[in-house]
Amino acid sequence: MRNTFFLPNLDQLFDVSGISCDKIVVVSIIGKSSYNSLGLKVKSIGRVISSKEYANGQECVIEGSYDEENQIVYLHMCTPLDADYFVKEYSNISKKCEILCGCDDFLAVYDEIKSIFARYLVLLFHISHIVILSHPVCNVDTNYIQYFKAVDLLSQKVFEKIVDILKSIDTISQEWVSAGRFCTPRLIFYFEKCPSNITNIKKLEHNLEDKIYFVLKKTRIISTSGCSLFSIPPNNEFVYIEEELGPYDKLGNMVRNLLMDCQPGGALQLEVPYSSQPNGGKNFKKFMHVHIQQARTKGFDDTVSSGRHQHSQNTHFELPVLKQWIEATKAIYKFMSKCKLVNSLCTDTRFSEQRCLKVLPLALARYQEGLPSHYAKAEHKARLSVALSLFKAQARGPVFDRYAAQLEMDCKIHWKNGRQQCEVASLTGNPCKLIKHSSDQEHMSGFIYKAICDCGRKVGAREDPYKEKQANYTFYQQISKECQCSKLERIQFPVLQSTSKFASETDEISSSSEKCLDDSESSSKMLTLNSPIGMLPSYSSWSLVCLGASSLYSHNLGLSESHHPGFLSSTNYLLPWDVTVFSESKQNWPHVNKYTIRGRRGRSSGSLPQFTVKVFIGVEYECSSGHRFMLSSPDRMLKAMSGGIVKDTGYKVAESDMPLYFPCACRAGKLAQLMRLHVVTPKAPVHCTLNPKVQPATGAPVFIPTLNGPTKLTQSAYWIMRLPYVYISEKEHYGVNPAARLLQGVFGVTEMDQ
């Protein structure tokens, strides 16, 4: 009868009739298996163990089967070293890499897999008589040398604990307790495939035995004194190579496997013609029978040991009763399952850690090389990229990501430890160049621009502004003191003067009055068409100044450099704009011809008299280098011909949307901003008006200087309106935008009231 189980669940074996008297032989199978083998190692034995449900989310599973008839316990260890087991557990391993290690490197969890493998090897070497090391191909895997050394070292560390555990089991003999196990297990090497070019397998087996013994002796895993982790028989064969007998018969193999499953004693009970090997000749049954029979009769007395053992143990061999074995196995399994990582197996991690620790300070030094006293985030990222490139080129292994993250953190800490630049953006988008400071300290980007005063006669240095009032008001107040344009006639736009009185904008408000609101919430920085009636700004971002009489401008000479510095060559002219005015007074103007190009008195009865006036207008653009120019149309810079002849008129400028930003000819990519509107009014009985509306982006609010509508200008005068330097609504600051524009309808001419 065959009883299958998984360690440590052995309770079902208590139902075996001979549990208190059967002296058992324990055979364990370890090693690796190839893909599509169902994880079976030593198939002729492994088939007695149910392996169909071995993958249950654990890194290691030990299956078992008890052959009650022959009193043999078979143990079969399945780990990720088995190809099929690894494939089935891949998703769990990958998830563990991601969750616990934060990477997708298999080596990051491989140390734990190897440690678990080593812990359960210690278990099997303490509860087995024979351990079969199975390998899918015919070569010696030298990785087991590292495992054996680690298991040997671990067994030394846990020896006293295991002895204490065994002392708590009353039925175990004193010799078993003293040795920590009932025998030193014999290690058998099994190779599943024979090389195709080998004719003398027996000779190959003997050669492998010599090589294995030499390697184990050379690495001091075995010696000739004391006791050892395992033994190899000095007078018996301990290497077996499976051979393929003739062409592979798939159907016959399936029948044989079915019969193997049905046999109560498992594969070792099969006889010809259905066993996987003939009865006479090479047969693993015969090979194992020698070792099992020796265990049942005289036991094993072939112990060799590691000279590194600190505990001198007498050679002991015992066939335990099944009940004793169950109790000892469950107790040792519980203890070994709690052991931590086996450091001696973490070679990949140790190498990776040593390499990363060596490269980490070099990469950090590269980051710190030639650092300024403080620097911006872009500089930090550029230096970090160089440091990470150096680290990536020289660091290796499973802890790479962890130390790369540490390098990034160390660089960030170094940067933020008194070396971080403020970087708060100015209204023109330039970062503050000062070391990071508190909000109450003034920012400074270090950029100094050339800018022109309200009237256009004085060029001064403008610091890159951080506040809207500094940009649109304070600078012009300061430079006006040098220019004296503050003494010129102005039209003041209504602003909030104090909080003691309230007055809303009405039609009676004169163009020079300043009104007040008693509610602080009724003030804003800049007015838009969406501003509620009664809303006033705390200061005006616009300026409207009269230079003097219209005679100041000569269309033949244009704007003189001495009074209007900074204009690019041939762009310093205003555009003539002929406007026809229809009179609604139905009376003849006695002196209308004095002001017009052509005049008409009243036509037939019912028609309105009309006359035409000439107004000179200009839209002036200014770049940050102090260069100025006029446009003759939305897409063309004004260019006067030789002799100061301007063929363009002001029609396109007056009747079109004008761009708020236009390329300056001083340098490629340099933009100039629309800053002034020029109007030279005629002597005719008309009012020229200005009604600027600026939309700084598509869908943005439309900014205006006043809610009173068009501003009337006096006759026969030269007026200049200065526009805001920055546009800020209650919710947003609008930077340079190619869609920004001055909406048409800025310039107007109406008949003077009689």
Side-chain angles (χ1 to χ4, degrees), residues 260-274:
M260 288 179 188
D261 284 337
C262 296
Q263 291 293 318
L268 295 181
Q269 300 300 311
L270 285 176
E271 302 294 339
V272 291
Y274 298 111

Side-chain angles (χ1 to χ4, degrees), residues 57 102 108 120 174 207 214 318 344 351 363 377 400 586 601 632 701:
Y120 289 110
Q174 184 59 40
N207 288 338
F214 175 78
E318 180 181 336
S344 57
F351 168 78
K377 186 176 183 179
F400 172 86
K586 295 186 178 181
R601 299 184 181 271
S632 60

Side-chain angles (χ1 to χ4, degrees), residues 40-68:
L40 290 175
K41 297 178 278 289
V42 192
K43 294 182 177 59
S44 55
I45 295 179
R47 287 200 58 81
V48 305
I49 305 171
S50 176
S51 300
K52 297 180 181 179
E53 299 179 357
Y54 60 81
N56 60 356
Q58 300 179 10
E59 289 86 353
C60 179
V61 174
I62 299 178
E63 312 168 280
S65 176
Y66 178 54
D67 180 0
E68 188 174 353

Side-chain angles (χ1 to χ4, degrees), residues 424-428 439-443 462-475 525-526 539 541 725-728 733:
V424 172
S426 69
L427 294 176
T428 59
S439 58
D440 58 348
Q441 184 179 345
E442 292 291 333
H443 297 289
R462 177 204 291 270
E463 291 188 3
D464 196 10
Y466 275 85
K467 297 180 179 178
E468 184 260 348
K469 186 174 183 179
Q470 179 189 10
N472 289 344
Y473 181 79
T474 305
F475 167 77
K525 292 182 179 179
M526 300 185 73
Y539 55 88
S541 298
Y725 185 63
V726 295
Y727 294 86
I728 302 177
H733 162 243

